[in-house]
Amino acid sequence: AGDGNIRVKTLSIELSIKDITILEKIKKLLKANNKITTRTRLHPVTQNYFTNCCLTISRKKMCEDLTKLGITSNKSNILKMPPIKSELIAHFLRGMVCSDGNFTVNNENCMTFTFVCPVYDFIKEFQDILIRELNFEKTDIPFKRGCYKLRYNGNYQVRKLFEYLYP
């Protein structure tokens, strides 16, 4: 859900150009003939140019089913944690992290995990899951540049999270 939206009966999935193979796999899986398009834009915050690729598919039934699961044209502002089985939570969070999170290592080999989201309730529930599942501590969730930011530092903690998301 992180990098897609639905408008009426059309699904659009937009990813970084480096992930175009993912769109090619989705296109093949859905047996779609649609062209994958690319576009370069200026990021409004960083002022850096970036290129994305996009697959757009019009299938009414598929879009209706995805809308029932919370995929909409404006999901970023109404995002809610879906009711999913506990054994699938890590998979769902991994998808969200692939979209709006990252793991980094600085020059001193210290690891950091960051996840951003414009919806406080969603990012708070994300943190609550980490507290419950991984025994993480509660941290501040500051709001900056239109998004809330959840961050954890330290090799032990970040490695534990990485192994939870990518077993």
Side-chain angles (χ1 to χ4, degrees), residues 42-96:
L42 179 66
H43 191 281
V45 176
T46 65
Q47 295 297 302
N48 293 327
Y49 285 94
F50 62 97
T51 302
N52 283 349
C53 52
C54 182
L55 176 63
T56 302
I57 300 173
S58 295
R59 291 193 186 163
K60 185 178 179 183
K61 173 75 169 105
M62 180 178 68
C63 291
E64 288 171 352
D65 291 345
L66 289 169
T67 299
K68 289 176 188 173
L69 295 172
I71 311 289
T72 67
S73 62
N74 197 20
K75 71 181 181 323
S76 293
N77 297 321
I78 59 169
L79 190 60
K80 294 179 183 174
M81 195 68 71
I84 53 178
K85 296 177 183 177
S86 60
E87 64 268 17
L88 299 177
I89 290 174
H91 299 291
F92 174 78
L93 294 180
R94 180 176 58 245
M96 296 305 298

Side-chain angles (χ1 to χ4, degrees), residues 13-17 20 23 36-38 51-55:
I13 305 169
E14 189 167 338
L15 304 174
S16 169
I17 192 70
I20 194 166
L23 287 185
I36 296 173
T37 60
T38 61
T51 302
N52 283 349
C53 52
C54 182
L55 176 63

Side-chain angles (χ1 to χ4, degrees), residues 1-5 66-67 69-83 92-93 95-97 99-101 115-126 147-148:
D3 293 309
N5 69 65
L66 289 169
T67 299
L69 295 172
I71 311 289
T72 67
S73 62
N74 197 20
K75 71 181 181 323
S76 293
N77 297 321
I78 59 169
L79 190 60
K80 294 179 183 174
M81 195 68 71
F92 174 78
L93 294 180
M96 296 305 298
V97 168
S99 172
D100 296 314
F115 179 74
V116 296
C117 177
V119 180
Y120 178 79
D121 290 343
F122 184 86
I123 205 164
K124 174 71 172 86
E125 193 165 352
F126 190 119
C147 283
Y148 292 94

